[in-house]
Amino acid sequence: MESPENLSVQAVNIEQDVSSTPVEVDTAVVLLGAGVTAVTHPLLYVKLLIQVGHEPLPPTVGTTMFGRRVLYLPGFFSYAQHIVEVDGKRGLFRGLSPRIVSSAISTMVRGKIKQQVQLRSKKDDQQATSLRKVFRETSHEMIIQCLSRVATHPFHVMSVRCMAQFVGKEVKYGGMFSCLIKIFKEEGVAGFYVGLIPHVLGEVLFLWCCNLLAHFINTYAVDESFGQASAVRSYTKFVMGIAVSVLTYPFMLVADVMAVNNCGLAAGLPPRYPIFKSWFHCWNHLSHKGHLFRGSSFFFRRVPMPSIKN
């Protein structure tokens, strides 16, 4: 936790930050993004292994709040401990390098495009109605998100495949440059964009649903006479984001499964998965198995079976 002295120094330096050059600001944001990416990588690593159906630890017997005995799959901490036992602490950061590069590229692409979009949209701000403004801003966010995804998806594929090697203990994908060469030789440019369509569709659907729902709730559901109306409105979009992310999660799951399917890794080959002809085929397969939300939770992961009798 920062001391009051440090906080005051930061407040005093606000004016200095305003005069900072765009290069300095971009560098700070890139470094901050890289740090967040590194800290959260173990979470995404465990999530990816759960998504591809790798369950190396046996379930344990537990009870629900209603007293029924059920089987629970290991949570994040047990899973992470297993990875450390197999690969050591450094193993938790397998596939991190492509994600850091992806984060840096995404930050720079978003920053450049956002500047251009803001310059062109300033003239229309005063004439736009509230709903029209939401549509315009969401459209701009959608363009930024799509272009950012196209620029960074190859690194996402590399990261996912590096992490998925844990399932079969392969060493096919090593460093980032060897991944680039390996994917290009075996699959061509198309190999870098496997799973792109469901990923983009999920993000676009998330943006529109989140922004429109937040707008309608703030406009028609929150009463102006309510004393905390402004505070409620400030949290509406955040809450809607959590709710909508649950609905769009299957798109992210299908994108990650497609990224490892038929690439030579045990995580994406029979008998674990069939060879999918398209992401529709993958979606239908996961839906039939009841696995469209696999990996959406790190804790209290119940085995899909009837409760255990005493």
Side-chain angles (χ1 to χ4, degrees), residues 106-123:
S106 177
T107 299
M108 291 185 289
V109 170
R110 286 171 178 273
K112 298 300 181 183
I113 299 175
K114 194 171 183 179
Q115 288 176 3
Q116 297 299 321
V117 170
Q118 287 177 344
L119 288 175
R120 295 184 179 183
S121 62
K122 280 183 178 179
K123 297 180 180 180

Side-chain angles (χ1 to χ4, degrees), residues 10-294:
Q10 291 178 2
V12 171
N13 288 336
I14 289 178
E15 294 182 0
Q16 297 178 358
D17 293 339
V18 173
S19 62
S20 298
T21 64
V23 175
E24 292 175 343
V25 175
D26 288 345
T27 302
V29 174
V30 168
L31 292 176
L32 178 61
V36 174
T37 299
V39 171
T40 59
H41 186 75
L43 287 169
L44 295 180
Y45 186 13
V46 171
K47 179 180 180 179
L48 186 278
L49 294 179
I50 296 173
Q51 285 180 326
V52 299
H54 185 55
E55 299 291 352
L57 301 175
T60 57
V61 179
T63 56
T64 66
M65 60 183 299
F66 300 104
R68 292 188 302 173
R69 300 179 66 199
V70 295
L71 291 176
Y72 285 108
L73 293 168
F76 166 75
F77 295 107
S78 299
Y79 213 128
Q81 183 178 1
H82 171 73
I83 295 175
V84 171
E85 291 174 355
V86 175
D87 283 347
K89 293 182 179 179
R90 292 183 61 185
L92 287 173
F93 298 94
R94 184 198 296 256
L96 175 60
S97 297
R99 286 198 62 230
I100 290 179
V101 174
S102 175
S103 174
I105 293 176
S106 177
T107 299
M108 291 185 289
V109 170
R110 286 171 178 273
K112 298 300 181 183
I113 299 175
K114 194 171 183 179
Q115 288 176 3
Q116 297 299 321
V117 170
Q118 287 177 344
L119 288 175
R120 295 184 179 183
S121 62
K122 280 183 178 179
K123 297 180 180 180
D124 301 329
D125 284 343
Q126 296 179 352
Q127 301 177 354
T129 62
S130 180
L131 182 58
R132 186 176 181 181
K133 185 176 180 181
V134 171
F135 270 94
R136 190 182 64 248
E137 290 178 349
T138 305
S139 298
H140 293 164
E141 289 181 31
M142 180 181 67
I143 294 172
I144 295 171
Q145 184 63 40
C146 290
L147 293 177
S148 174
R149 174 53 55 188
V150 171
T152 60
H153 194 75
F155 299 96
H156 175 77
V157 172
M158 287 187 282
S159 178
V160 166
R161 293 186 179 183
C162 287
M163 292 186 283
Q165 290 183 132
F166 181 83
V167 177
K169 304 297 183 292
E170 297 103 340
V171 291
K172 180 178 179 179
Y173 299 99
M176 190 167 59
F177 294 104
S178 65
C179 286
L180 283 168
I181 296 172
K182 180 75 68 175
I183 295 175
F184 183 76
K185 283 185 176 180
E186 294 183 354
E187 304 171 57
V189 177
F192 294 106
Y193 291 96
V194 178
L196 173 64
I197 294 177
H199 216 148
V200 170
L201 288 177
E203 291 175 340
V204 169
L205 185 62
F206 172 85
L207 276 176
W208 281 101
C209 291
C210 182
N211 288 358
L212 289 177
L213 285 174
H215 169 73
F216 288 126
I217 290 175
N218 287 338
T219 304
Y220 302 107
V222 180
D223 193 348
E224 289 290 346
S225 61
F226 181 58
Q228 301 296 326
S230 59
V232 171
R233 288 194 178 98
S234 64
Y235 288 103
T236 301
K237 193 170 183 178
F238 173 75
V239 175
M240 288 298 100
I242 296 175
V244 174
S245 65
V246 175
L247 299 177
T248 59
Y249 178 81
F251 290 94
M252 307 297 113
L253 172 62
V254 170
D256 288 341
V257 172
M258 287 298 296
V260 300
N261 188 246
N262 196 27
C263 69
L265 300 179
L269 292 173
R272 186 178 298 273
Y273 284 110
I275 305 302
F276 297 121
K277 298 178 181 178
S278 66
W279 71 272
F280 288 107
H281 184 195
C282 179
W283 182 292
N284 291 333
H285 174 80
L286 294 172
S287 178
H288 179 72
K289 297 286 186 180
H291 292 163
L292 276 178
F293 291 91
R294 183 171 59 194

